[in-house]
C-alpha cells in the first residue's frame, strides 16, 4: 500500500494469518523509505487489546531481526538493520497501540484547548462519579424557587410515579440507577411534545364510533367488545386486536375506522414513551454539564470519555491542528479486529483517517463479522462493509479493494473439512 490514497479491507477468519499480514503491511510501509523517525511515527497500527498490541510489536521487531540477519527475504538487509536500530533507539515512536491509547494521547496533547489539566487522572469508577454529580445537582437546588433544575426533577418524579407507575420507598435510588443506565447509552434526544390527554380522548371517541357501527357477528371470538368499551385500559395488551386481527372481516368505512384506531393507538404509545423519556433526557443534560464541571475542577477524566472530547474538538477545530499538537503527522493507519469497533470510536477515528487519505495516505483494516462478540459494548460489525463502500470521498473507486484470507493456518485439514461440510 502506498502512493495515491487507498483503502484495503481484509476479511480474515480465525487462524487465517491476519496478524502476520498486518505485520507484513507495516514492514512494507517502512520499506518505502530510508529509516527516519518522522516516517516511523507516520504509521499507526491499532489493535483491540494491549496484549494484541504487544504481540504485533514483537512480530515487527522479530521480522526486522530476521531480515537484518539475512535469515529471510523481504526487506533489504541494510535497510532492515537501519529500521531495527531506529526502533530500538526510539521504541516509543513505534505506533502500535489500542484505539483508547491513541485517542487519549490526542486528548493529553490538547489538554489546554479542552480546558483540562495537563496531568489528567483517569478514573473508571463511573458509578461513583455519577453519584457525586447527582449529589452536587441536588445540593444546588433551591426548592420552592421555581428553578429549572427543580422543574426537571419534579417532572422526572411525576413521570416515575404516574407514567411509569413505579413505586417503593427508595424512589431516589431507583431514579439514580435509571439515569446511570441511560447515561451509558450516550447522547439521547427526544423531539416533539404531544398532548397525551387529547390523543387519549380521540382514541376513546374512535372506539365509541366503531362500537356503534359493529354488529354482534363482527366481534369474532376475541375481546374486541371489551377493548372498544375501555380502550385506554387495553392499550398495552391484546395484540391480536391491535394488529388488525381483532374483528371478523370489517369492510368499507368500518374497516377505515378500525385502521385509524390502530394507527392512533400506535402513535399514542410512541408519544407516551417519549414523554416518559423526556425528563430523563433533560436531567442527563444537566448531569453531563455537572460532570464536565467537576472533572475540569478536579483534573479527572472518566474512562472512555476521551472519545467524546476528541470528536467534539475535531468537529470544531479540524484535524491538522490536533496533529500539530500531537507533534507528528499520521499518514498510514492499520486497524485490527475492526468488527469490534464501536460507533463512538469510529466517529472519533474517521476524521483522522480522512485527513491521512486526503494527503495521499493509506488505510488498511482487518475483520471478520463471524467474530463480532462485542455488540453489547457498542461494537458495530456493519462498519466492515459500510466503510469500504460509503466512506472517504477522497479515495477514488480504483483505490478501494477487498481481499479474503481464505487459508486456515491454525486447524488441521480434517477439522476445516468437517466445518465446511457442516
Amino acid at each position: 500500500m502506498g502512493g495515491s490514497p487507498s483503502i484495503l479491507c481484509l476479511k480474515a477468519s480465525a487462524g487465517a494469518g491476519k496478524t502476520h499480514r498486518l505485520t507484513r503491511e507495516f514492514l512494507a510501509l517502512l520499506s518505502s523509505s530510508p529509516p527516519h523517525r518522522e516516517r516511523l511515527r507516520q504509521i499507526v497500527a491499532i489493535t483491540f487489546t494491549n496484549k494484541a498490541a504487544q504481540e504485533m510489536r514483537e512480530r515487527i521487531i522479530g521480522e526486522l531481526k530476521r531480515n537484518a540477519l539475512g535469515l529471510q527475504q523481504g526487506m533489504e538487509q541494510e535497510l532492515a538493520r537501519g529500521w531495527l536500530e531506529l526502533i530500538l533507539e526510539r521504541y516509543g515512536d513505534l505506533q502500535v497501540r489500542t484505539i483508547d491509547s491513541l485517542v487519549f494521547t490526542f486528548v493529553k496533547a490538547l489538554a489546554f484547548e479542552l480546558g483540562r489539566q495537563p496531568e489528567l487522572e483517569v478514573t473508571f469508577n463511573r458509578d461513583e462519579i455519577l453519584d457525586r454529580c447527582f449529589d452536587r445537582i441536588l445540593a444546588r437546588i433551591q426548592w420552592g424557587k421555581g428553578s429549572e433544575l427543580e422543574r426537571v426533577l419534579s417532572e422526572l418524579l411525576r413521570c416515575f410515579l404516574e407514567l411509569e407507575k413505579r413505586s417503593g420507598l427508595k424512589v431516589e435510588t431507583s431514579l439514580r440507577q435509571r439515569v446511570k443506565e441511560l447515561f451509558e447509552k450516550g447522547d439521547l434526544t427526544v423531539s416533539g411534545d404531544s398532548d397525551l390527554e387529547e390523543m387519549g380522548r380521540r382514541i376513546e371517541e374512535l372506539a365509541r364510533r366503531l362500537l356503534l357501527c359493529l354488529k354482534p357477528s363482527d366481534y369474532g371470538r376475541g375481546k374486541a367488545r371489551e377493548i372498544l368499551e375501555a380502550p385506554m385500559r387495553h392499550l398495552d395488551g391484546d395484540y391480536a386486536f391491535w394488529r388488525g386481527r381483532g374483528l371478523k372481516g370489517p369492510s368499507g368505512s368500518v374497516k377505515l375506522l378500525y385502521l385509524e384506531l390502530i394507527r392512533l393507538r400506535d402513535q399514542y404509545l410512541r408519544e407516551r414513551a417519549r414523554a416518559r423519556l423526556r425528563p430523563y433526557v433533560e436531567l442527563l443534560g444537566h448531569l453531563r454539564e455537572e460532570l464536565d464541571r467537576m472533572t475540569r475542577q478536579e483534573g479527572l477524566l472518566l474512562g472512555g470519555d476521551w472519545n467524546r472530547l476528541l470528536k467534539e474538538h475535531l468537529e470544531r477545530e479540524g484535524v491538522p491542528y490536533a496533529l500539530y499538537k500531537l507533534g507528528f503527522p499520521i499518514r498510514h493507519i492499520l486497524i485490527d479486529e475492526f468488527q469490534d469497533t464501536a460507533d463512538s470510536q469510529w466517529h472519533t477515528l474517521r476524521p483522522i483517517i480522512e485527513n491521512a487519505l486526503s494527503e495521499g495516505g493509506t488505510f488498511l483494516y482487518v475483520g471478520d463479522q463471524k467474530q463480532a462478540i462485542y455488540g453489547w459494548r457498542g461494537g458495530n460489525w456493519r462498519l466492515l462493509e459500510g466503510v469500504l463502500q460509503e466512506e472517504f470521498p477522497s479515495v477514488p473507486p480504483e483505490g478501494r479493494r477487498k481481499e479474503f484470507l481464505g487459508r486456515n493456518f491454525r486447524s488441521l485439514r480434517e477439522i476445516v473439512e468437517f466445518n465446511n461440510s457442516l
Side-chain angles (χ1 to χ4, degrees):
M1 297 175 69
S4 61
S6 64
I7 303 174
L8 173 57
C9 169
L10 281 179
K11 302 189 76 173
S13 298
K18 60 184 179 61
T19 305
H20 175 75
R21 177 64 180 272
L22 278 169
T23 302
R24 299 305 292 266
E25 294 288 346
F26 194 101
L27 292 175
L29 290 168
L30 292 181
S31 299
S32 63
S33 74
H36 194 281
R37 184 187 180 195
E38 291 305 313
R39 175 64 175 177
L40 178 61
R41 295 199 293 179
Q42 289 178 8
I43 308 169
V44 177
I46 297 172
T47 62
F48 198 67
T49 65
N50 288 319
K51 182 180 178 181
Q54 182 59 33
E55 179 188 352
M56 190 170 176
R57 291 189 201 104
E58 292 173 357
R59 289 205 182 198
I60 290 171
I61 292 173
E63 290 280 317
L64 285 172
K65 282 182 179 179
R66 285 186 284 275
N67 280 277
L69 294 172
L71 300 178
Q72 70 179 27
Q73 300 297 317
M75 186 183 293
E76 193 271 328
Q77 195 169 356
E78 284 301 316
L79 185 61
R81 185 178 295 120
W83 276 116
L84 182 60
E85 290 176 355
L86 177 64
I87 289 174
L88 294 178
E89 180 184 349
R90 297 279 189 176
Y91 189 71
D93 292 332
L94 180 59
Q95 302 295 319
V96 181
R97 55 210 311 172
T98 63
I99 295 178
D100 284 338
S101 170
L102 176 65
V103 175
F104 183 65
T105 301
F106 268 102
V107 169
K108 287 197 71 174
L110 293 162
F112 178 78
E113 288 77 6
L114 296 172
R116 305 281 164 164
Q117 297 181 19
E119 294 302 323
L120 289 169
E121 178 186 345
V122 177
T123 176
F124 289 91
N125 198 337
R126 185 176 296 261
D127 280 358
E128 179 187 334
I129 294 296
L130 293 180
D131 276 330
R132 288 177 59 193
C133 291
F134 204 99
D135 291 339
R136 286 164 62 117
I137 287 175
L138 292 179
R140 281 213 318 274
I141 298 176
Q142 295 180 323
W143 297 100
K145 298 294 182 65
S147 66
E148 170 67 11
L149 273 174
E150 181 181 355
R151 181 195 67 77
V152 170
L153 283 170
S154 298
E155 181 64 23
L156 184 61
L157 188 60
R158 185 191 72 82
C159 170
F160 185 84
L161 296 174
E162 297 180 13
L163 290 178
E164 297 184 37
K165 307 297 183 185
R166 304 278 291 275
S167 60
L169 298 176
K170 298 182 178 180
V171 173
E172 182 186 332
T173 302
S174 299
L175 281 174
R176 284 176 183 259
Q177 185 58 37
R178 186 72 179 278
V179 169
K180 291 175 189 175
E181 292 169 357
L182 291 173
F183 185 90
E184 296 290 340
K185 302 293 184 184
D187 293 332
L188 297 173
T189 57
V190 179
S191 59
D193 189 18
S194 300
D195 188 337
L196 290 176
E197 291 186 8
E198 175 60 27
M199 291 178 67
R201 285 193 290 269
R202 288 167 57 196
I203 289 173
E204 290 176 341
E205 174 61 26
L206 270 176
R208 282 193 294 270
R209 289 170 57 191
L210 192 55
L211 267 175
L212 293 174
C213 297
L214 293 174
K215 304 186 293 293
S217 59
D218 292 327
Y219 292 115
R221 299 169 61 185
K223 298 170 61 178
R225 188 176 190 89
E226 181 182 340
I227 295 168
L228 290 173
E229 287 174 346
M232 299 304 293
R233 291 209 302 265
H234 295 84
L235 292 179
D236 294 305
D238 305 296
Y239 297 112
F241 180 88
W242 296 115
R243 291 181 180 175
R245 302 192 299 272
L247 296 179
K248 190 176 180 181
S251 60
S253 60
V254 176
K255 184 173 184 179
L256 291 178
L257 275 177
Y258 183 33
L259 294 177
E260 176 62 15
L261 178 62
I262 292 173
R263 185 197 66 78
L264 194 57
R265 173 258 186 184
D266 291 343
Q267 182 183 354
Y268 180 91
L269 292 182
R270 286 195 299 272
E271 294 304 322
R272 188 180 67 181
R274 290 194 179 101
R276 288 177 175 176
L277 189 58
R278 186 173 293 109
Y280 288 102
V281 172
E282 290 183 340
L283 181 60
L284 278 174
H286 289 285
L287 190 67
R288 291 186 186 281
E289 290 176 4
E290 190 61 46
L291 174 65
D292 188 64
R293 189 159 36 241
M294 188 181 79
T295 52
R296 285 174 188 268
Q297 291 172 353
E298 301 184 11
L300 295 174
L301 184 60
L302 196 59
D305 211 30
W306 39 71
N307 284 305
R308 178 184 63 83
L309 288 175
L310 181 58
K311 173 179 173 289
E312 292 175 355
H313 179 82
L314 295 179
E315 288 174 349
R316 291 193 310 269
E317 307 295 337
V319 176
Y321 181 75
L323 291 173
Y324 165 74
K325 292 289 292 187
L326 188 66
F328 55 88
I330 295 176
R331 295 286 182 270
H332 307 280
I333 299 172
L334 305 88
I335 303 181
D336 193 11
E337 303 291 2
F338 193 73
Q339 75 280 349
D340 292 323
T341 303
D343 284 327
S344 59
Q345 295 172 323
W346 177 243
H347 293 154
T348 305
L349 287 176
R350 182 169 54 192
I352 299 172
I353 298 172
E354 174 60 42
N355 184 78
L357 292 171
S358 68
E359 297 181 356
T362 59
F363 175 41
L364 163 66
Y365 63 99
V366 185
D368 177 22
Q369 287 102 323
K370 300 187 298 299
Q371 298 180 65
I373 60 173
Y374 286 95
W376 57 272
R377 54 173 281 178
N380 184 0
W381 58 268
R382 293 177 179 84
L383 289 172
L384 199 63
E385 290 288 345
V387 166
L388 187 65
Q389 298 171 5
E390 302 167 8
E391 302 279 2
F392 307 122
S394 60
V395 181
E398 61 272 18
R400 302 169 184 265
R401 294 187 294 128
K402 179 165 63 175
E403 293 183 18
F404 294 88
L405 301 183
R407 184 176 178 184
N408 189 320
F409 293 92
R410 187 176 298 173
S411 304
L412 295 174
R413 176 181 295 275
E414 291 80 3
I415 294 175
V416 175
E417 289 178 347
F418 172 78
N419 286 338
N420 288 344
S421 63
L422 183 63

